[in-house]
């Protein structure tokens, strides 16, 4: 199912997995990372930046009002880095020139809040509410309709705020840069914007004076949702306590109760302190000429400012402690935990080197990886295998988004009585590390993973660099140094030895006194306490209102509503035209290897790597066994195989390959509403030299997996079940949409069973009944049925010169799998399936906000109405849902999605339920009665094409054909149809499909008895 586009996304606490800092990105690619988070050099065939262009810039040159400060060739990524400083203002600019058509721009500021009013975060939102040259309500969202960008967003972190975008079109780049510059340096910051995005007092029903007065506001609601997550709460508390008297001791996102103390004057003051060119970091990346960028920035912004003396902001550096400290916090009970008596969290966090000490941070990253990552690590054995808890504590690992970096380690899901045992285990593990150290194999595999990551081809390199470099750049590190990784790796390789690492363990852990011991336990009254505090604040605000002020609240509410529905002239904004969209889509030639086996290849220069995908159809399994497939795919690479136990197997993966993983997929047939493919997909990559070893490891995993280690199996089951249950709070909209779709088509039903709330509950039951023997039987029987030759296909991606060599190895591999001609075309279908509609399902989750969705039946991919419905979904998103669900309704986001035979609506962190449903129901009324213009249709097309043409990972290029069986001609036909859609087509499909009966679902807090009566309600 397509991912929702959920409004602009502000990351208020950086997730270390997807948002790693530069060292991790460049040097890491460590196991904890999601696929793709690593750095790529240029594809072969793309030359290093030519010496001609190198000579164009040299240190000391004056260009467009700037002086060149540093020029470096960066062989790591086949690029040239040029750092400049603006003469008039001191603004810094880093340009990374590279032969990559996907260009990136960003402007970032160091932003250092002193309190938890969320001032930095609310400023980020209101900055995007209109500017001097572009006085429209939401230029950012408007530009999504006028651009071919593949990324536009804004981020608020602890100590910086950043506004990045990426696009492949030069005209679009200039358009967007002009809007971004005007927004960030000349925003309007009107009272309305503050009220809408920050907070306000308003009647529950805006038009009804008698309805109660309450708090409303986009960020206010957003942060309620964020704080409902105990992991977030815990991660933030670590920073707050470990780094007292610094900006990290407050919440940059804003605590809901403190947000209510913020005034627009404070917001403006914060802005004038931090959003100044002298405090700005500009970043550009790609193959567009730097001089044009500099000229536009100088003329549009910088020439209008004077240099400002450096800020003396609130501290970012804490005083080092003499003794460890202990702290305790509470959270709301987490129903997703497998054992309610084991619901405490405990960790120890060690303050480490400053982020600006590059080499030391690099050593620490490696050391922390050795200590805690993967089954071979010491903490894995002493904590995860101990059975004391089920999972590492939130933010475990090396964290480097703050000025002083830190390492945190601990467990969640522990019995409060066992906290001292966990503490003892942590201390003795450090002792052991300082005595025994690490094996040569362990150290080599970490280095191998780093070197592999340098070869890996990133899909949005510019964005990756922009977000990675900023963390240390705002602390005055030279970002160019952060790009030069090879030197650091070689220095480390020369210097590293077991004694070297053991010394570091003593220095940073055994002899370190700046240690935070943090525990967290659930409290039944936690949420009520928050509610009471909000209620008390509301009462005190409202009771202090004079009659006149009360009238003011009512009138302000009406005025804001009027403002939100006022027609605005978006034509002041620049735009691309339909003629800027390429008529022909990119093609990816996938060919079959000669011979009997279903082996396919996609030839493309791959920097010496081989990417391998092996798919195995599981359609012939019984329905009972299919329920175990998601856990099976999670566990099969983690149990050990062939001659290796699980620790050795993990070591083998790291020594020879880049991440070996298995995942399950349900893929609706492109032309039929009934048929679908059920496939397990095994993915991995390696260097060409290691390809035979990679295949031999797959043989072990697929043909000789071990499931017999009961303790290990149970541990993995708990881990998997809990993280899935916890994902419901983060991805409630996706779960809700799966639920409302689930009775409409066969593939949607299977998706719900395997990936929806049904699966989450199934796993929780498995954990509860704890029958390992049965589980073991099921997994073994899946393994023996699924990985048979007749179910298996393979696709590899790599450089053409490796063709013969690899094809031969794969044929041999297929032979061992016992390959036979498939007896069927792999399509699963259920001829007895009958769609059910009119369902209203409510899953009660202890959260403060809702995820509301509604679905009805539509058409599959190849149907001529499919592109029309997809375009209609885009149009509804931007012209109807955004306004009614987000701006007026106060939800964080909303979306309409046409996918796989179903049309769905969904909302994210939504304070409303019935209102939202009625917005969904009135969508066709709106469309048919609206004056949708041809221009609106073009805008929806821009949105579609920026998505369709956005860069993909090299190894994913052949996957559409391989998995969905959709070929380039079908994709081109879809493109042609999409380009040809006219206004009347949308009216027609709306009349044809929007009358279809619907299902509704909500995941969210309990409703009153009255309103609940029409719903099928169950507890999560
Ligand atoms: Zn936000």
């Amino acid at each position: 199912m397509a991912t929702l586009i959920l409004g602009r996304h502000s990351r208020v606490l950086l997730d270390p997995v997807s948002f790693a800092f530069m060292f991790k990105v460049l040097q890491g690619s460590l196991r904890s990372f999601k696929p793709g988070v690593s750095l790529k050099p240029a594809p072969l065939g793309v030359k290093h930046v030519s010496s001609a262009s190198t000579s164009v810039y040299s240190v000391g040159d004056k260009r467009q009002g700037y002086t060149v400060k540093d020029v470096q060739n960066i062989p790591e990524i086949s690029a040239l880095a040029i750092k400049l400083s603006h003469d008039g203002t001191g603004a810094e600019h880093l340009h990374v020139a590279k032969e990559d058509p996907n260009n990136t721009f960003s402007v970032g500021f160091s932003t250092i809040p002193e309190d938890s009013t969320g001032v930095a975060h609310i400023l980020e939102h209101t900055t995007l509410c209109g500017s001097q040259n572009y006085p429209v309500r939401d230029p950012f969202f408007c530009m999504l309709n006028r651009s071919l960008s593949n990324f536009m967003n804004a981020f608020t972190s602890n100590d910086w705020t950043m506004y990045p975008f990426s696009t492949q079109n030069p005209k679009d780049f200039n358009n967007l840069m002009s809007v971004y510059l005007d927004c960030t340096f000349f925003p309007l910051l009107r009272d309305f914007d503050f009220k809408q995005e920050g907070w306000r007092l308003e009647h529950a029903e805006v038009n009804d004076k008698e309805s109660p007065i309450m708090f409303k506001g986009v960020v206010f609601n957003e942060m309620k949702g964020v704080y409902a997550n105990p992991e977030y709460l815990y991660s933030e508390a670590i920073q707050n306590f470990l780094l007292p008297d610094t900006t990290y001791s407050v919440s940059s996102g804003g605590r809901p109760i403190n947000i209510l103390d913020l005034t627009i004057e404070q917001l403006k003051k914060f802005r004038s302190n931090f959003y100044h060119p002298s405090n700005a970091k500009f970043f550009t990346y790609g193959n567009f000429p730097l001089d044009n960028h500099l000229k536009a920035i100088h003329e549009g912004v910088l020439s209008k400012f004077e240099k400002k003396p450096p800020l003396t902001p609130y501290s970012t550096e804490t005083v080092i402690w003499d003794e460890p400290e202990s702290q305790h916090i509470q959270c709301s009970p987490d129903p997703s935990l497998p054992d309610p008596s084991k619901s405490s969290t405990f960790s120890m966090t060690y303050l480490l080197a400053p982020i600006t000490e590059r080499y030391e941070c690099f050593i620490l990253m490696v050391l922390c990886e050795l200590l805690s990552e993967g089954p071979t690590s010491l903490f894995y054995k002493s904590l995860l295998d101990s059975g004391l808890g089920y999972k590492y504590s939130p933010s475990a690992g090396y964290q480097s988004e703050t000025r002083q970096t830190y390492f945190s380690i601990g467990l969640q899901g522990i019995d409060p009585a066992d906290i001292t045992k966990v503490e003892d285990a942590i201390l003795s593990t450090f002792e052991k590390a300082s005595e025994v150290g690490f094996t040569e194999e362990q150290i080599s595999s970490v280095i191998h993973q780093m070197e592999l990551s340098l070869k890996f081809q990133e899909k949005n390199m510019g964005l990756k660099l922009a977000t990675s470099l900023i963390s240390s750049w705002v602390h005055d590190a030279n970002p160019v140094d952060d790009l030069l990784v090879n030197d650091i790796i070689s220095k480390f390789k020369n210097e590293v030895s077991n004694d070297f690492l053991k010394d570091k363990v003593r220095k940073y852990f055994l002899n370190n006194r700046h240690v935070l011991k943090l525990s967290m336990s659930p409290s039944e009254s936690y949420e009520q306490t928050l509610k009471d505090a909000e209620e008390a604040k509301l009462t005190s605000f409202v009771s202090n209102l004079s009659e006149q002020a009360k009238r003011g609240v009512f009138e302000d509410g009406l005025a804001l509503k009027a403002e939100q529905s006022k027609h605005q002239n978006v034509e002041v904004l620049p735009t691309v035209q339909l003629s800027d969209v390429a008529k022909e889509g990119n093609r990816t030639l996938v060919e079959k290897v000669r011979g009997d086996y279903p082996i396919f290849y996609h030839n493309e220069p791959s920097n010496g790597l081989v990417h391998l995908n092996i798919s195995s159809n599981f359609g012939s399994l019984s329905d009972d066994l299919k329920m175990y497939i998601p856990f099976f795919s999670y566990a099969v690479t983690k149990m050990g195989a062939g001659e290796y136990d699980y620790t050795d197997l993990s070591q083998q993966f790291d020594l020879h390959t880049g991440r070996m993983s298995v995942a399950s997929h349900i893929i609706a047939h492109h032309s039929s509403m009934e048929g679908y493919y059920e496939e397990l997909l095994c993915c991995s990559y390696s260097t060409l030299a290691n390809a035979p070893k990679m295949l031999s490891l797959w043989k072990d995993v697929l043909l000789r997996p071990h499931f017999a280690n009961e303790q290990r199996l149970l541990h993995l089951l708990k881990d998997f079940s809990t993280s899935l249950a916890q994902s419901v709070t983060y991805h409630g909209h996706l779960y809700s949409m799966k639920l409302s779709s689930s009775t409409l088509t066969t593939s949607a039903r299977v998706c719900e069973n395997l990936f929806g709330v049904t699966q989450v509950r199934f796993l929780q039951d498995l954990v509860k009944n704890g029958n390992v023997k049965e589980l073991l039987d099921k997994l073994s029987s899946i393994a023996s049925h699924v990985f048979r030759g007749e179910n298996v296909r393979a696709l590899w991606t790599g450089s053409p010169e490796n063709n013969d060599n690899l094809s031969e190895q794969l044929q041999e591999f297929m032979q061992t799998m016992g390959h036979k001609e498939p007896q069927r075309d792999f399509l699963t279908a259920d001829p007895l399936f009958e769609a059910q509609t009119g369902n209203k399902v409510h899953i009660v989750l202890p959260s403060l906000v809702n995820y509301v969705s509604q679905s009805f039946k539509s058409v599959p991919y190849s149907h001529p109405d499919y592109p029309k419905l997809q375009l209609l979904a885009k149009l509804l998103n931007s012209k109807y849902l955004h306004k009614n669900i987000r701006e007026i309704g106060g939800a964080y986001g909303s979306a309409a999605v046409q996918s796989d035979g179903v049309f769905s609506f969904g909302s994210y962190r939504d304070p409303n339920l019935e209102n939202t449903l009625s917005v969904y129901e009135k969508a066709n009324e709106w469309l048919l009665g609206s004056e949708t213009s041809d221009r609106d249709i073009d805008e929806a097309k821009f949105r579609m094409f920026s998505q369709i043409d956005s860069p993909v990972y090299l190894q994913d290029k052949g996957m559409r054909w391989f998995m969905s069986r959709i070929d380039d001609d079908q994709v081109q036909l879809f493109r042609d149809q999409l380009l040809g859609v006219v206004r009347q087509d949308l009216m027609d499909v709306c009349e044809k499909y929007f009358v279809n009966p619907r299902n509704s679902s909500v995941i969210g807090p309990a409703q009153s008895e009255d309103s609940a009566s029409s719903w099928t309600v169950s507890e999560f």
Side-chain angles (χ1 to χ4, degrees), residues 610 612 656 686-697 806 809:
V610 177
L612 178 65
H656 307 289
S686 73
T687 59
L688 182 65
N690 279 338
K693 184 66 191 175
M694 172 165 71
L695 281 169
S696 125
L697 286 168
L806 268 168
Q809 290 170 23

Side-chain angles (χ1 to χ4, degrees), residues 866-878:
Y866 190 87
K868 299 171 191 167
L869 284 161
Q870 278 215 322
L871 206 62
L872 179 55
K874 281 276 180 282
L875 184 77
L876 288 172
N877 280 337
S878 59

Side-chain angles (χ1 to χ4, degrees), residues 10 121 125 222 892:
S10 308
H121 183 194
H125 276 241
E222 180 193 340
Y892 189 52

Side-chain angles (χ1 to χ4, degrees), residues 8-10 121-131 134 136-142 152-155 161-164 179-184 187-190 193 196-197 275 882 886-887:
R8 57 175 172 260
H9 167 97
S10 308
H121 183 194
I122 295 170
L123 179 58
E124 176 235 296
H125 276 241
T126 48
T127 291
L128 301 170
C129 287
S131 62
Y134 306 114
V136 293
R137 214 163 35 238
D138 204 341
F140 206 76
F141 264 94
C142 297
M152 283 179 72
N153 219 326
F155 304 116
T161 307
M162 169 189 260
Y163 301 82
V179 173
Y180 269 58
L181 291 174
D182 206 54
C183 284
T184 45
L188 297 176
L189 290 192
R190 301 165 312 163
D193 307 328
Q196 175 183 291
E197 299 296 320
Y275 280 39
H882 176 69
R886 181 177 156 115
E887 288 185 355

